[in-house]
Amino acid sequence: MPHDQLPRLHGYGVRWDAAADRYRVRNEITGEWLHSATGELAAFVFFGDAYSAWRAFEVHKRPGEK
């Protein structure tokens, strides 16, 4: 999906897509969006699920982590 066609989202890493009424996950280091196994932009109903996916997708040390 070209950058100019990405949905307008709010947040960092885990983003709310108001148009789809779902959370989306983005690797803020590389700019890559998380996609499902079918190749579509991954969507999550619950923030906790999206946050877990983001932590696995954007792997780096965060403040307070060893």
Side-chain angles (χ1 to χ4, degrees):
M1 176 179 295
H3 182 68
D4 62 339
Q5 292 182 353
L6 292 175
R8 292 190 176 269
L9 306 174
H10 306 284
Y12 177 87
V14 175
R15 298 177 174 217
W16 178 251
D17 183 350
D21 199 30
R22 298 284 187 265
Y23 291 100
R24 306 285 189 189
V25 174
R26 182 172 187 240
N27 183 322
E28 296 297 334
I29 295 171
T30 65
E32 181 182 1
W33 290 91
L34 180 63
H35 289 82
S36 66
T38 62
E40 296 180 20
L41 203 56
F44 300 87
V45 175
F46 300 107
F47 176 83
D49 294 340
Y51 183 75
S52 294
W54 172 71
R55 286 186 55 97
F57 187 55
E58 183 179 317
V59 179
H60 68 280
K61 289 185 179 179
R62 293 169 182 79
E65 291 183 344
K66 294 183 180 190

